[in-house]
Amino acid sequence: MHKHESQVDLNIDHILEDEALRHRLFPVTRQRIFLAHAGVAPLPGPTVDTLKHEAERASIAQESSDFLTEVEAIRRVAARLINASSDEVALLGPTSLGLNMVANGLRWQKDDEVVFYPDDYPANVYPWQALAEQGVRCIPLQPERAGEITPDLVLKALTPRTRLVALASCHFLSGFRLDYEGIAEELNRRGVLFCLDAIQSLGATTVDVRHIDFLAADSHKWMLGPLGAGIFYVKRKHFDILRPSLLGAWNVRSPGYVAQPNIVLENTARRYEPGSLNWLALHGMKTSLELILGLGVKQIEARLLDLRSFTEDKLLSAGFRVLGHANRRSQKSGITTILIENQENALAQALKLRENKIDISLRQTRAGLSCLRLSPHFYNTEREIEEVIKILLS
């Protein structure tokens, strides 16, 4: 695959200092202030170039003679992002598909327990709630404040019947960042499985799957990739206990494309990919991940936390209520959420921002509080944040 000229020797400061480069790498910046990466992110320029290139190539043949080599190259890039072996990575999106593969692939026993957070994003709630139909006990976590899942809270919910803990690496509304490593180490000691919905972290902060059993994330948020391309991680030692809940010609060995009397699965995470992959989107995801890895995830995380501090300080000094502003830096993410009690005011503010070509996310809590969620990425600027606050105050 060709390499975009602007991916050579890049760093975040370089992008922020060179407006022409910023526009070229992130075309959305020419037209709008985009602060909704916790929703569906716009694609970077290099990713668009890749999609065009691959689409043109597909007009001759969608599957090249190097198809298998290209698939493995994408796996390797995805594996680098989470510090996994490439044979533990299935190329599956959306996130809900991977989470359902875990929920439906384990052999549950009556009165097994699954610990989850009912005020998480629905994709990481319903697969676990549905297990109740199989006699599984669903144990809900109830933090004092929205999204603030602590290791102590998780450990207090465990019993000898706990089979799995399923949590999000970062809460989609509060931006509270899970101490997934601390939780994972404790669960490992107790022999409890851990499934991580990592869509609000991958591309924005370091995630290491060393102590994680299962992970799922689509690429369309902080990874800056296309919709429907994603990463599903299964620790190799769990291949035997997590049955593929979908079967097809790609994950079951069928020599000469002839179905066999016995089902023999592929011996890598490909066993969780039943059929044709979302090929164009995966090429796009690879380019986006190469851009992120080239800039450095730790550098991106530091930039996002600096933007969070800047945004919080400006909002608080202007009299806004900010969810989770008192949390420690290590508990924060690139998500900043403004609480607005009056729903009409929230709708009016969101509309005003949209009319001024600014994209944010309008959300609400279970209690009915309206929220304006700001989720800039590393390429957004302090000037853009100031513009948003100026409009909110107008």
Side-chain angles (χ1 to χ4, degrees), residues 249 252-260:
V252 180
R253 293 183 179 178
S254 306
Y257 301 104
V258 176
Q260 302 297 298

Side-chain angles (χ1 to χ4, degrees), residues 253-273:
R253 293 183 179 178
S254 306
Y257 301 104
V258 176
Q260 302 297 298
N262 297 316
I263 293 176
V264 179
L265 296 165
E266 292 291 334
N267 61 6
T268 69
R270 176 175 158 178
R271 60 177 47 211
Y272 302 105
E273 301 166 353

